[in-house]
Structures are given as structure tokens and as C-alpha cells.
Amino acid sequence: MFRTFFRVLKFFLFPLSLLSLFRCGSGYKEKDGKVTYNGKEIDTSTMHGFVVLNDAFAKDSVQGYFREREISDSDGPTFQALDENYAKDKKNVFYCTKTRDSQTYFTTSSIYIQRLSSADPVSFAVLEYGYAKDKQRAYYEGKPFDITDPDSFSALNSNFSKDRIHAYYRCNPVAKSNGESFEVLDYDFARDKNHIYYYGVNEEGEYDIHILDCDMASFTRIEQWYSKDKISAFYKTKRIIGSDPGSFQKLNSEFSKDKSTVYYQTKPIKGADASTFHLLDDYYAKDTTAIFWTNLLLQGANPSHFQILELGYATDGKKVFYNGKIVKGADAASFKAYPHGVGDADAEDKHNKFYEGQIVKSE
């Protein structure tokens, strides 16, 4: 798990420095009577009335263009760019974008041009965050979705929009919401005059939004996934039963505590002393008498000599642990974990190499 994480991190971080090179000077430019696209001059001698509209769109007397690509069925004389993705003419509305495959992100791209067959070009208007609307419906990144009141429809951010009747989360109406009073509080919570909402990715990996069963008058955001009211604290959508809101504090995204109890997500950690409990990393923690991994007590681990290694490994000088489990056959005195994993192993001692807590058998 950890080694995969580092590989993914490296994949994304390595090309970040190149982003500015791809963006700098990109798109259509018109200067000194010459037209260029991404720095390359375009021969417009055969394009009567060629005009650059913005970085992404241009037109001539016949048709519109998106990133040098002809937009078929478009009408040049009435063609207009609405932003970097939406355009329209007297008969049609278009959504255009450049897409990239995740495997070849920095080397290969494709142009995608869609005619929005249901859109009304007369009333069509672009909003913020990729949203648009006409007299009948709304659109997000070119995809239509039904709304109750187009006249009052507005975009709040890339996840939320609303009209005077309802709020919409990822283009779906939020059940029992009041659009007129709806507001986004932060990355996890929203509210209207009737409810507090928690939203985000659920345990199945799907985006979801739920009404939080809380006392609205005393509701308070703590941080990240935590909140509280006068009765108790919450972890995401669930109450932490028995927690004391007055002394409750978040330790990290999974651990929290109050004056008498330590919690992992919503579960009390049996045997943990709240007054001395503290984190060693994202998953390991200790108090004066014990070591814990998530909500589990590590039987026999010595807190006085316990130390975190790399990639989920830890040791107390006599035993080695991986993700809260004893690594069988490991020699604690000579054991070392590699910084980011090497080949088929992520740790070794004087006898063996290991991968994710298991001895790597030599072929």
C-alpha cells in the first residue's frame, strides 16, 4: 500500500514543473497581422474574414474553430465564443474541450466537440465553474440536467448549484433542500434554513450527500470530517456516541479524544488513557502504558522503546510490527525499512528481505 502510494505520488509530482510550459503562450494569438496557435503561425490566406475570438476559439466567414479544429455545422458569421469551452451561433450551442488519457497525459490529447442538441442558443448563458443554462435546463461541462427554476439558477462551485427551489449536488437535486437559503460551508459541509448537510465520497467510493441529524442551533464545525453540537461530536455523518463536545478535539483525520475517551473514527479505543494519549504517525499512537494501531491495542509492545520506521513498519527493539501486526521471523536489532521500497522488497534484516510484513522468498 505504502510503496504504491509513493509511486503514484512520484508520477504526479514529477511532471508538475512542466505544467507551466504547456500553458505558457498556448492557444490562439494575434499580433502584427499574424495569427498563431501554440506559437505556430497559421496560414489564414484562404480563410476569408478569419478572427481570433479567444485562446480557444476562432472563426471565419464559413465556420467556427476550436483549437484549430473545424466545428462542423457551425455558422461563421454568427459564431461567438462564450468562454474557453462553450460557443454558439444562431442555430446551435457547442461544448468543446481537450481531453487527456491518464496513461499518456503529457504526450497525447484529443479534441472533443459536442453540439448540444437540446440547448436554446437565444437564451443560453454561461455561468461559473463549467455550468451554463438556457430557458429550460442547466448544463455542467456540456451535460444537461433538469432543474426546477432556470431563471434563478446559479452556480456555487464545481459540486454545487441551486435555484430558488432546490440545491443540486453534482447535478442531482438535494433531497429536502431549500435552494433560496442553501450555502456551502466548506469542503465537507453545507446548510440551508432547515438542515445541515455532510457531503463527499462514501465508503463505496461514490459521491454522496446526507442530512446530518444534529441540533442546528448549536452545530459547530471542528475541522475536516469532524463537527459537533450540544449533545456530542460527529465523525462524517455519524455521532460519536458518548463524546463530550466541550472537551472534544480532533487529533488527525481518524483519531480524536475528549477529556475521558480516545476515539478512532466513531469507536472508543478500549484501554487508552486520554490524558497521555498522543499520535506517533497517522496510524500508530501511544499512552504511558500501551501502543495502539488504529483502534487496536498492540499486545506486548513496549511504549518506552517504540519507534516508527518507514512504510508502515515500527519496532520496540525486540519485535517488529507492520500495520499493527508482528512481523514473523524479523530480527529487530538489524531490521531496517527502505525509504520508498526497492524492487520486490521494502525492508530487510541480517537474515531476510521483507515485503509488506512478509518474508520475501528467494527463487
Side-chain angles (χ1 to χ4, degrees):
M1 177 181 70
F2 290 95
R3 187 168 66 175
T4 301
F5 168 77
F6 281 112
R7 284 177 175 172
V8 172
L9 185 64
K10 180 180 178 182
F11 173 81
F12 282 104
L13 290 180
F14 172 73
L16 286 180
S17 60
L18 301 177
L19 284 176
S20 59
L21 297 178
F22 282 97
R23 292 173 178 167
C24 240
S26 64
Y28 286 108
K29 303 295 178 187
E30 193 168 14
K31 185 177 181 181
D32 299 329
K34 295 182 179 181
V35 176
T36 60
Y37 182 78
N38 286 354
K40 181 181 178 181
E41 186 174 352
I42 299 173
D43 181 8
T44 60
S45 61
T46 61
M47 302 175 184
H48 180 68
F50 188 89
V51 178
V52 172
L53 302 177
N54 62 17
D55 286 349
F57 288 102
K59 71 174 184 176
D60 60 19
S61 61
V62 178
Q63 61 198 347
Y65 300 85
F66 176 72
R67 298 181 179 270
E68 294 189 287
R69 179 74 61 83
E70 298 174 355
I71 302 177
S72 60
D73 299 325
S74 61
D75 177 67
T78 60
F79 187 86
Q80 55 182 301
L82 302 178
D83 65 3
E84 299 294 309
N85 297 103
Y86 288 102
K88 70 178 183 178
D89 60 24
K90 64 181 180 180
K91 292 183 179 181
N92 296 303
V93 178
F94 303 92
Y95 179 78
C96 310
T97 189
K98 179 191 279 188
T99 61
R100 292 187 179 273
D101 180 80
S102 60
Q103 299 298 316
T104 58
Y105 188 88
F106 291 96
T107 58
T108 306
S109 64
S110 300
I111 298 299
Y112 175 74
I113 297 174
Q114 177 187 8
R115 183 174 66 86
L116 306 184
S117 58
S118 62
D120 172 56
V122 175
S123 60
F124 192 89
V126 170
L127 305 174
E128 296 180 288
Y129 310 111
Y131 288 94
K133 69 176 182 178
D134 62 17
K135 63 182 180 181
Q136 294 180 314
R137 58 186 60 82
Y139 302 81
Y140 179 70
E141 294 185 348
K143 296 179 181 179
F145 63 98
D146 292 329
I147 55 177
T148 306
D149 184 55
D151 287 342
S152 62
F153 181 82
S154 62
L156 300 178
N157 60 28
S158 58
N159 282 318
F160 285 100
S161 55
K162 70 176 185 176
D163 57 31
R164 65 182 181 85
I165 308 298
H166 293 119
Y168 303 87
Y169 177 58
R170 300 180 67 84
C171 305
N172 295 305
V174 178
K176 300 182 181 180
S177 61
N178 176 268
E180 195 169 35
S181 61
F182 189 90
E183 61 178 326
V184 179
L185 298 178
D186 55 27
Y187 289 110
D188 301 292
F189 292 88
R191 73 180 298 157
D192 60 23
K193 67 179 184 180
N194 299 317
H195 304 290
I196 301 291
Y197 304 87
Y198 174 85
Y199 68 94
V201 179
N202 61 26
E203 293 178 355
E204 287 73 39
E206 300 170 341
Y207 288 93
D208 210 348
I209 185 167
H210 292 276
I211 293 173
L212 194 67
D213 185 19
C214 67
D215 175 69
M216 288 189 66
S218 60
F219 176 81
T220 304
R221 288 286 290 110
I222 297 175
E223 192 178 351
Q224 200 173 9
W225 299 328
Y226 291 93
S227 60
K228 66 181 181 179
D229 63 12
K230 64 182 181 181
I231 302 169
S232 70
F234 294 84
Y235 176 78
K236 297 185 177 180
T237 61
K238 298 178 180 179
R239 275 195 188 274
I240 304 175
I241 303 300
S243 59
D244 173 59
S247 60
F248 186 88
Q249 59 180 298
K250 169 202 165 189
L251 300 178
N252 70 4
S253 61
E254 310 287 342
F255 287 96
S256 60
K257 70 177 184 177
D258 59 23
K259 62 184 178 180
S260 61
T261 308
V262 181
Y263 306 92
Y264 180 75
Q265 297 182 1
T266 61
K267 298 178 180 179
I269 300 178
K270 295 180 180 179
D273 174 55
S275 62
T276 61
F277 185 93
H278 62 279
L279 301 180
L280 300 176
D281 69 358
D282 288 342
Y283 300 99
Y284 285 102
K286 67 182 288 188
D287 61 18
T288 53
T289 61
I291 297 293
F292 302 87
W293 188 81
T294 64
N295 63 326
L296 303 176
L297 172 67
L298 296 193
Q299 296 287 349
N302 186 340
S304 299
H305 298 94
F306 196 86
Q307 60 177 313
I308 303 299
L309 302 176
E310 304 273 357
L311 304 176
Y313 289 101
T315 181
D316 65 358
K318 293 185 178 181
K319 293 179 288 294
V320 177
F321 302 87
Y322 176 76
N323 286 357
K325 296 180 180 180
I326 293 175
V327 179
K328 295 179 181 180
D331 176 69
S334 62
F335 190 91
K336 63 178 181 180
Y338 304 149
H340 304 303
V342 178
D344 294 326
D346 55 19
E348 67 177 26
D349 62 16
K350 64 182 181 180
H351 302 296
N352 297 295
K353 291 187 177 182
F354 299 83
Y355 178 69
E356 294 185 351
Q358 302 293 324
I359 292 174
V360 176
K361 296 180 179 180
S362 58
E363 297 180 356

